[in-house]
Amino acid sequence: MTSDDIDIVQRAWSRISLFSNEFVKEIYRELFRLDPGLLPMFTMTDERLINKVAQTLNTVLTSLEQLDALRFIIRHLGQQHRRYGVKPEHFALVKVAMTRVMAQRLGEHFTPTLAQAWSAAYDEIAAIMIEGLQQEPRAEEPADMALPWLC
């Protein structure tokens, strides 16, 4: 991901971020439309989950230039998703849902350049989360340890 990609994604996110909770709700609707079989994985579907996801998205997307510094947090987030039954292949479906919702929200502002930059950013973040998903928890680290703003 280049610095231009980061700038493009962050400018797009600034158009969405004021309504990030609605954005997240739309992502879930699209995700469940794409694969209704995922519904049982989501036991916490209230506003708390929506807020956590929106906050996490905001933190990560506004800090893309510091992704290396956030790597351990993103990896831990992936590790946390294991307890919900998330599999590496689910990340591709989430990417489709997020991209469709972003394209709908941004309309003509969702250009091919933005689509490419968004894809690069998502793929890099997802790869880090998948590392965590596939990593065994350390013995000294409780399986349910969560940072308050992470989902």
Side-chain angles (χ1 to χ4, degrees), residues 43-58:
T43 56
M44 183 175 68
T45 56
D46 60 7
E47 283 299 312
R48 201 175 77 204
L49 172 66
I50 301 300
N51 282 332
K52 282 183 170 188
V53 172
Q55 288 174 354
T56 301
L57 270 173
N58 190 58

Side-chain angles (χ1 to χ4, degrees), residues 28 31-32 37-46 48-50 52-53 56 75-91 94 129 132-133 143-151:
Y28 280 119
L31 184 62
F32 299 146
L38 295 176
L39 267 167
M41 295 172 71
F42 292 85
T43 56
M44 183 175 68
T45 56
D46 60 7
R48 201 175 77 204
L49 172 66
I50 301 300
K52 282 183 170 188
V53 172
T56 301
R75 192 178 300 123
H76 181 74
L77 181 60
Q79 194 175 45
Q80 293 296 338
H81 278 67
R82 182 180 29 235
R83 70 178 146 166
Y84 303 113
V86 173
K87 306 272 185 252
E89 56 269 19
H90 292 137
F91 286 86
V94 171
M129 283 187 70
L133 186 70
D144 63 350
M145 182 183 107
L147 298 174
W149 52 274
L150 293 176
C151 54

Side-chain angles (χ1 to χ4, degrees), residues 60 67 70-78 125 128-129:
V60 172
L67 210 51
L70 293 176
R71 184 172 292 276
F72 78 99
I73 294 171
I74 298 168
R75 192 178 300 123
H76 181 74
L77 181 60
I125 294 163
I128 298 167
M129 283 187 70

Side-chain angles (χ1 to χ4, degrees), residues 82-131:
R82 182 180 29 235
R83 70 178 146 166
Y84 303 113
V86 173
K87 306 272 185 252
E89 56 269 19
H90 292 137
F91 286 86
L93 199 55
V94 171
K95 181 180 181 178
V96 170
M98 288 182 87
T99 303
R100 284 183 183 177
V101 172
M102 184 177 275
Q104 290 167 357
R105 284 234 161 199
L106 294 174
E108 67 186 29
H109 298 287
F110 193 78
T111 63
T113 303
L114 172 55
Q116 184 177 0
W118 168 250
S119 181
Y122 181 89
D123 289 348
E124 194 164 329
I125 294 163
I128 298 167
M129 283 187 70
I130 290 169
E131 283 175 23

